[in-house]
């Protein structure tokens, strides 16, 4: 019930995009429901539900339906072009294979699924995923990150500073309010920003 309630519409979107517009970006226009990173994370949390349903049901039609839904929500998450969602998919696949009682079959199935989906994703997608580790600079050999990735690292550093400066943190939901005080970039990343990390957000603003 949980998997279908949360995943039916998303799987439908995933399959429609996969068939009619493979490789296109599927952003979430309704911010209330989360940005592309939140949608991608949610989809990657749904995939294990459908894996479990597919592996435990004795009805072959239910099993194929679960695999059908899995592909839909997986592609829905990847089509957000979220780098966090991409990393979550890799981690989920690795854990799923390692914990599977039939690892060889899980590995082959995962490889086939990855090969099929990867062929629908354009070079633009892989170029964006490649920025996760940054690009090697010509001077000094250090890695440089694009604006989005660099901003995340900056927000996380501020969260650590907030936690170090305040024994109990800056208070529940206080990161955004405290951001201008701790911002050393003089508004380069904006004036009211979120921490983009549940763990560091809890560290800086427990509650």
């Amino acid at each position: 019930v949980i998997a279908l309630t949360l995943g039916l519409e998303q799987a439908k979107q995933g399959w429609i995009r996969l068939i009619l517009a493979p490789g296109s970006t599927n952003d979430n226009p309704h911010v209330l429901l989360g940005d592309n990173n939140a949608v991608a994370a949610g989809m990657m949390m749904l995939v294990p539900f459908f894996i479990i349903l597919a592996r435990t049901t004795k009805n072959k039609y239910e099993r194929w339906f679960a695999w059908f839904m899995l592909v839909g929500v997986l592609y829905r998450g990847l089509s957000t072009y979220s780098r966090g969602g991409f990393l979550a998919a890799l981690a989920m696949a690795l854990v799923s294979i390692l914990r599977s009682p039939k690892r060889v079959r899980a590995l082959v199935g995962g490889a086939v699924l990855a090969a099929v989906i990867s062929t629908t994703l354009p070079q633009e997608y892989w170029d964006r995923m490649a920025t996760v580790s940054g690009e090697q600079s010509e001077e000094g050999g250090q890695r440089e990150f694009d604006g989005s990735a660099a901003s995340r690292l900056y927000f996380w550093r501020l969260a650590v500073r907030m936690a170090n400066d305040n024994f109990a943190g800056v208070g529940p939901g206080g990161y955004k309010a405290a951001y201008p005080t701790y911002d050393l970039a003089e508004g380069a990343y904006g004036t009211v920003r979120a921490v983009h990390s549940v763990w560091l957000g809890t560290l800086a603003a427990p509650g």
Side-chain angles (χ1 to χ4, degrees), residues 154-171:
Y154 179 69
F155 299 152
W156 297 344
R157 286 197 295 268
L158 291 190
V160 174
R161 285 188 55 208
M162 291 178 190
N164 289 336
D165 292 349
N166 303 274
F167 178 75
V170 292

Side-chain angles (χ1 to χ4, degrees), residues 24-171:
S24 61
T25 306
N26 190 357
D27 283 332
N28 182 15
H30 304 290
V31 181
L32 180 64
L33 301 178
D35 61 6
N36 65 324
N37 298 301
V39 172
M43 294 304 98
M44 298 314 157
M45 287 189 283
L46 273 178
V47 169
F49 277 84
F50 289 111
I51 292 177
I52 293 172
L53 290 172
R55 287 178 176 175
T56 56
T57 182
K58 296 181 180 180
N59 186 302
K60 67 176 181 179
Y61 298 107
E62 291 182 7
R63 181 165 58 251
W64 282 109
F65 179 71
W67 289 125
F68 176 84
M69 291 291 292
L70 182 152
V71 174
V73 296
L74 177 61
Y75 194 80
R76 174 66 176 96
L78 293 176
S79 63
T80 62
Y81 280 55
S82 166
R83 288 168 294 194
F86 176 74
L87 293 177
L90 293 179
M92 176 196 62
L94 179 61
V95 172
S96 178
I97 292 172
L98 291 178
R99 294 183 63 86
S100 174
K102 299 179 180 179
R103 294 181 182 175
V104 175
R105 189 169 72 175
L107 179 61
V108 172
V112 172
L113 181 61
V116 172
I117 290 181
S118 64
T119 58
T120 69
L121 298 171
Q123 187 60 41
E124 178 186 357
Y125 179 87
W126 299 113
D127 290 343
R128 178 168 172 76
M129 296 307 112
T131 63
V132 170
S133 59
E135 297 181 353
Q136 199 78 20
S137 64
E138 296 181 359
E139 299 179 2
Q142 297 181 346
R143 289 195 171 273
E144 297 179 349
F145 298 89
D146 69 9
S148 177
S151 68
R152 298 296 194 275
L153 298 174
Y154 179 69
F155 299 152
W156 297 344
R157 286 197 295 268
L158 291 190
V160 174
R161 285 188 55 208
M162 291 178 190
N164 289 336
D165 292 349
N166 303 274
F167 178 75
V170 292

